[in-house]
């Protein structure tokens, strides 16, 4: 029978001899059987060239050595998220998320539920062997009550909670259309498993919806019994807790006919407010007086202060001047009053690390941000802060310039508090000479292309911040 396996498996001895045709699974392990059924179904349905296997950390991690399909290895528990990414990026792909119980039902439970509820045509194969197989035989979410493992040597007890029944959980959601639990301990049950796996793929091929097949599988190694006895153990111990059969089977019409994502750079830039037009450049050279090759900034404030918008404008200004720029937002738990921040880098050629733990420039929009990040600024750096809401700050080193500008007070005087971040950009330009005034104003104008009437106010805010920073620096003798 034709299958979707490679002709030989390079994992063992470079594919030489018998090992080139055997998997790494332990004798009696259920993974190998399920691999066989999956491979046969992929071949029978003629979907091999369209299939993407997603295998995360666990016993199935080396699936890419065996399946001659597209393959992606996901982080532990994240296979459903990776799978939906594949499906949306290429709607015609046949995507299989192949996961174990420690992966799918534990660290990946949130992703599992979220993706199942979406209902997009995906095939999830869930191997339930009641144990963390690869990592040492620890208790899994599906470990039975009383079952001994390396982390429950006296057996799973009530304090550990009951084993989770994933098929029943998934079947309760509105998104999935087909959910079945099967087993491998007899020829009859294996035949049911083969049919269930093929049906789950068929439903995806037809664009009908999400299918979930849970397979009760043997793990003789961690049960510490022979393969034949492990089959009996599954039948006598697992089936009463995890009843076999179809849990959900809804007949729906094919509906999956979404368009492929846009990959055209000009269209994407238009969607996000960017432009392919050449921007005028005003910098004669990279602002190496701050750093020879890579300038790091941190802009921090509470929600509503505009730190993130200002960070985007600084990054865009750098890119417009032909430099590399990155912006990484970090939102704290506070919507008001605390501190969230953005890390920005402007590099002469390429940003190698987008984080700014030790910034050359800090712009603080509130007192908590100044207190939290003020001491992290590097020597010969700059601290710009809103002195209408924060008191004067003593830097860690006398080489650091501290410039207080009343961002909020100036914005209030102009009648629009939302422009206090633009005030801060004027102060940034005056204090650091990172970019010319024209660079910032051109970038702000670019951002306001659909709100041109706001440009005069923003220009006023910028100039007021610029002047206030110059006045402060003159007073301090900088």
């Amino acid at each position: 029978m034709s299958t979707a396996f490679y002709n030989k498996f390079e994992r063992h001895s470079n594919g030489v001899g018998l090992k080139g045709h055997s998997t790494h699974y332990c004798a009696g392990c259920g993974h190998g059987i399920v691999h066989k059924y999956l491979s046969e179904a992929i071949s029978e349905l003629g979907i091999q060239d369209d299939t993407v296997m997603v295998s995360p950390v666990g016993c199935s991690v080396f699936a890419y050595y065996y399946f001659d399909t597209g393959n992606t290895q996901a982080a532990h528990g994240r296979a459903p998220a990776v799978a939906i990414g594949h499906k949306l990026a290429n709607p015609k792909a046949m995507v299989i998320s192949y996961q174990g119980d420690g992966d799918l039902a534990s660290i990946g439970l949130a992703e599992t539920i979220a993706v199942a509820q979406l209902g997009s045509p995906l095939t999830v194969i869930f191997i339930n062997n009641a144990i963390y197989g690869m990592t040492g035989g620890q208790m899994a979410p599906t470990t039975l009550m009383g079952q001994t493992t390396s982390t429950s040597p006296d057996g799973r007890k009530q304090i550990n909670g009951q084993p989770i029944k994933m098929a029943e959980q998934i079947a309760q959601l509105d998104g999935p259309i087909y959910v079945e639990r099967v087993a491998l301990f007899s020829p009859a049950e294996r035949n049911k498993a083969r049919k269930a796996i093929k049906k789950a793929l068929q439903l995806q091929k037809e664009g009908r919806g999400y299918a979930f097949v849970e397979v009760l599988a043997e793990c003789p190694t961690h049960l510490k019994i022979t393969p034949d006895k492990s089959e009996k153990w599954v039948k006598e111990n697992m089936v009463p807790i995890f009843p076999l059969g179809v849990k959900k089977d809804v007949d729906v019409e094919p509906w999956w006919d979404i368009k492929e994502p846009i990959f055209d750079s000009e269209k994407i830039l238009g969607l996000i407010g960017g432009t392919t037009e050449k921007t005028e450049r005003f910098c004669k050279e990279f602002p190496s007086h701050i750093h020879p090759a890579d300038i790091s900034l941190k802009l921090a404030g509470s929600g509503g202060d505009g730190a993130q918008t200002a960070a985007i404008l600084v990054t865009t200004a750098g890119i417009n001047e032909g430099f590399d720029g990155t912006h990484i937002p970090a939102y704290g738990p506070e919507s008001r009053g605390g501190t969230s921040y953005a890390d920005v880098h402007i590099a002469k050629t390429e940003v190698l690390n987008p984080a700014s733990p030790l910034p050359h420039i800090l712009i603080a929009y509130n007192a908590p941000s100044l207190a939290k990040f003020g001491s992290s600024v590097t020597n010969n750096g700059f601290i710009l802060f809103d002195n209408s809401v924060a008191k004067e700050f003593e830097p860690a080193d006398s080489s650091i310039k501290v410039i207080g500008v009343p961002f909020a007070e100036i914005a209030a005087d102009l009648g629009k508090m939302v422009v206090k971040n633009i005030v801060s950009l004027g102060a940034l330009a005056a204090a650091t000479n990172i970019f010319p005034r024209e660079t910032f104003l051109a970038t702000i104008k670019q951002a306001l292309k659909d709100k041109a009437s706001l440009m005069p106010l923003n220009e006023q805010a910028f100039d007021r911040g610029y002047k206030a920073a110059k006045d402060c620096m003159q007073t301090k003798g900088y």
Side-chain angles (χ1 to χ4, degrees):
M1 178 182 287
S2 177
T3 72
F5 286 139
Y6 286 111
N7 291 329
K8 62 177 182 177
F9 303 146
E10 297 289 348
R11 172 169 167 73
H12 286 163
S13 301
N14 297 315
V16 176
L18 183 62
K19 288 187 176 180
H21 300 278
S22 61
T23 66
H24 69 288
Y25 299 115
C26 303
C29 172
H31 277 290
I33 299 174
V34 178
H35 275 21
K36 180 175 184 289
Y37 296 160
L38 255 179
S39 177
E40 291 173 353
I42 290 169
S43 180
E44 289 169 11
L45 293 172
I47 59 174
Q48 183 173 354
D49 291 342
D50 299 319
T51 297
V52 178
M53 287 280 296
V54 184
S55 56
V57 176
C59 287
S60 62
V61 70
F62 296 121
Y64 54 83
Y65 279 108
Y66 311 129
F67 286 91
D68 187 10
T69 61
N71 286 278
T72 294
Q73 185 179 344
H76 202 191
R78 284 14 177 204
V82 174
I84 196 65
H86 273 295
K87 193 68 178 181
L88 293 174
N90 183 4
K92 295 180 181 178
M94 291 288 298
V95 185
I96 302 167
S97 184
Y98 187 98
Q99 301 174 256
D101 45 5
D103 176 88
L104 180 146
S106 183
I107 192 170
L109 184 59
E111 288 82 355
T112 296
I113 298 297
V115 172
Q117 182 65 342
L118 287 176
S120 302
L122 292 172
T123 303
V124 177
I125 306 300
F126 171 47
I127 307 301
N128 176 2
N129 55 17
I131 201 80
Y132 273 92
M134 185 187 202
T135 57
Q138 301 94 331
M139 182 178 68
T142 52
T143 295
L144 305 183
M145 298 303 291
Q147 182 181 344
T148 59
T149 70
S150 63
T151 53
S152 60
D154 296 325
R156 182 171 189 156
K157 299 183 181 298
Q158 188 62 40
I159 195 171
N160 304 124
Q162 297 287 328
I164 189 168
K165 300 176 181 180
M166 285 307 305
E168 287 80 357
Q169 295 289 333
I170 298 296
Q172 292 181 63
L173 300 173
D174 295 324
I177 62 167
Y178 173 59
V179 181
E180 183 171 0
R181 182 183 287 123
V182 295
L184 304 170
F185 54 75
S186 71
E189 297 304 331
R190 286 194 286 273
N191 192 44
K192 291 177 185 177
R194 178 189 285 107
K195 290 179 179 179
I197 289 169
K198 185 174 180 180
K199 179 174 180 177
L201 288 171
Q202 182 73 45
L203 290 170
Q204 181 179 175
K205 182 181 180 181
E206 295 172 359
R208 296 181 188 274
Y210 175 100
F212 182 96
V213 178
E214 178 175 344
V215 183
L216 302 187
E218 292 74 27
C219 183
T221 297
H222 290 297
L223 287 172
K224 296 180 174 60
I225 53 179
T226 59
D228 58 332
K229 288 183 179 179
S230 69
E231 289 182 345
K232 183 179 180 183
W233 185 89
V234 170
K235 180 179 180 179
E236 294 179 354
N237 294 276
M238 291 190 73
V239 172
I241 306 303
F242 302 108
L244 303 179
V246 176
K247 308 303 176 183
K248 186 175 186 179
D249 191 0
V250 181
D251 186 16
V252 299
E253 291 298 315
W255 63 273
W256 185 255
D257 188 27
I258 68 169
K259 295 180 180 179
E260 290 189 4
I262 298 171
F263 295 101
D264 182 272
S265 59
E266 291 191 13
K267 290 182 179 179
I268 293 172
L269 283 171
L271 289 172
I272 63 174
T275 179
T276 57
E277 297 178 8
K278 285 189 175 182
T279 54
E280 188 175 357
R281 295 182 179 178
F282 304 94
C283 280
K284 294 181 179 179
E285 58 185 2
F286 183 76
S288 56
H289 60 282
I290 301 173
H291 188 274
D294 191 339
I295 301 167
S296 62
L297 303 91
K298 190 180 290 288
L299 296 87
S302 63
D305 279 338
Q308 301 297 341
T309 300
I312 292 171
L313 289 171
V314 173
T315 307
T316 304
I319 293 171
N320 285 347
E321 288 291 355
F323 308 126
D324 191 22
T326 58
H327 159 236
I328 304 294
Y331 300 96
E334 312 90 347
S335 60
R336 292 291 185 274
T339 182
S340 66
Y341 63 91
D343 284 353
V344 172
H345 273 256
I346 305 296
K348 189 173 183 178
T349 55
E350 182 181 2
V351 175
L352 299 179
N353 182 353
S356 301
L358 301 172
H360 301 107
I361 301 168
L362 168 68
I363 303 179
Y365 295 90
N366 65 356
S369 297
L370 181 61
K372 183 174 183 178
F373 299 115
S375 60
S376 67
V377 176
T378 59
N379 292 351
N380 299 304
F382 301 84
I383 297 175
L384 292 89
F385 72 100
D386 188 346
N387 64 2
S388 59
V389 297
K391 296 180 180 179
E392 190 65 33
F393 181 81
E394 187 66 32
D397 187 90
S398 59
S399 67
I400 299 171
K401 295 180 175 66
V402 181
I403 299 99
V405 172
F407 305 153
E409 191 177 294
I410 292 173
D413 186 53
L414 291 170
K416 288 283 186 181
M417 286 298 292
V418 293
V419 298
K420 69 178 179 178
N421 58 349
I422 304 300
V423 176
S424 74
L425 294 184
L428 172 66
T432 69
N433 291 315
I434 187 171
F435 302 128
R437 174 180 182 272
E438 292 79 9
T439 299
F440 283 106
L441 293 180
T443 303
I444 295 168
K445 186 176 181 180
Q446 180 183 330
L448 294 174
K449 63 178 182 179
D450 296 324
K451 301 177 182 178
S453 61
L454 296 177
M455 192 58 200
L457 172 63
N458 280 266
E459 190 168 352
Q460 273 187 286
F462 185 91
D463 288 340
R464 288 280 297 272
Y466 191 97
K467 183 179 184 304
K470 283 294 187 184
D471 290 344
C472 177
M473 294 176 72
Q474 185 175 8
T475 300
K476 290 193 170 185
Y478 292 153

